[in-house]
Amino acid sequence: MAAIRAEPFAFPLKKDAVALVVIDMQRDFAEEGGFGASLGNDVSRVTAIVPDVKRLIAGFRAAGLPVIHTMECHRPDLSDLPPAKRNRGAPKLRIGDEGPMGRILIAGEPGTAILPELAPIAGEVVIEKPGKGAFYATPLGDILQEKGIAQLVFAGVTTEVCVQTTMREANDRGHECLLVEEATESYFPEFKAAAIAMIRAQGAIVGWTAKLDDVLEGIAGA
């Protein structure tokens, strides 16, 4: 069995049962004028990882391995948006409001789309999720079971919220999870560092973390 150099110890790669999950690399979270920027965040931190995420996706595609994309978004009638989520805090714009790129985090709106550089290609799964975790109210669990996927490699944003939440959900479902450190980001560097530490603490209690080059080497050589 191949292994990927990782922390806290090598990740035992099962190449016939692994998929890449790219979390929420959407315009609303990465571009000026989007929802992330409207909350006062430095979106340049997200755009900075795009080349590394692109390399990771290309590596999985070249190895013939599945790539799954997620998008946080809601129905136009907001029927899947709990008031507690919409009303939290005091942002200038709320989910469902009109923004510079259409209605904020609404399915089908321009700002909700995945960044063009990272766009899915034909045959790749796209999960529209109303929550932070990608399993809540989505078919992701069934899709992974149908495809025989036991291991998930993660990239995307933000490390401490949607990425970590999905990893914890996957871990509870029995999946082995690996986070690619350069291919994930937070608006707050200290939050990313804390999330990485929590994920791999106590012998990979949630999962492993690894460097991009080690992951690419592992999947190419397996």
Side-chain angles (χ1 to χ4, degrees):
M1 180 184 296
I4 295 174
R5 189 182 300 114
E7 294 290 345
F9 52 87
F11 182 78
L13 179 65
K14 302 170 184 173
K15 194 173 181 182
D16 60 346
V18 66
L20 173 64
V21 182
V22 183
I23 303 285
D24 299 1
M25 291 299 294
Q26 298 164 243
R27 294 183 64 200
D28 256 331
F29 298 134
E31 294 184 2
E32 292 294 343
F35 190 43
S38 77
L39 297 174
N41 297 307
D42 178 7
V43 294
S44 69
R45 296 191 57 83
V46 175
T47 55
I49 70 167
V50 169
D52 286 329
V53 178
K54 187 175 182 178
R55 283 184 62 206
L56 183 60
I57 292 173
F60 268 75
R61 288 172 177 166
L65 298 175
V67 179
I68 298 169
H69 307 259
T70 77
M71 302 163 56
E72 183 176 352
C73 58
H74 296 274
R75 299 169 185 159
D77 65 2
L78 307 184
S79 60
D80 60 351
L81 175 60
K85 180 179 180 180
R86 187 173 193 271
N87 297 334
R88 194 167 302 148
K92 297 177 182 176
L93 294 171
R94 296 183 184 276
I95 296 172
D97 289 349
E98 286 290 344
M101 294 184 286
R103 294 180 68 198
I104 299 291
L105 294 187
I106 298 301
E109 296 288 335
T112 302
I114 293 169
L115 293 167
E117 305 97 309
L118 308 177
I121 61 174
E124 291 180 346
V125 173
V126 180
I127 298 292
E128 295 186 353
K129 60 183 186 68
K132 304 304 182 188
F135 289 88
Y136 171 69
T138 79
L140 179 58
D142 291 337
I143 290 170
L144 296 179
Q145 185 174 10
E146 290 168 4
K147 293 180 176 292
I149 301 299
Q151 297 183 324
L152 299 173
V153 176
F154 284 89
V157 296
T158 61
T159 314
E160 77 279 9
V161 184
C162 294
V163 175
Q164 183 180 198
T165 301
T166 302
M167 288 188 72
R168 289 178 180 275
E169 290 180 330
N171 181 67
D172 282 346
R173 286 165 168 79
H175 297 287
E176 293 176 316
C177 301
L178 172 66
L179 177 64
V180 184
E181 295 178 23
E182 302 97 320
T184 185
E185 194 50 85
S186 169
Y187 298 124
F188 308 96
E190 66 272 23
F191 290 178
K192 176 181 176 178
I196 286 175
M198 286 188 284
I199 285 166
R200 67 189 188 199
Q202 301 181 63
I205 193 167
V206 174
W208 290 253
T209 72
K211 299 297 185 182
L212 173 60
D213 286 343
D214 291 329
V215 174
L216 292 176
E217 180 181 342
I219 63 172

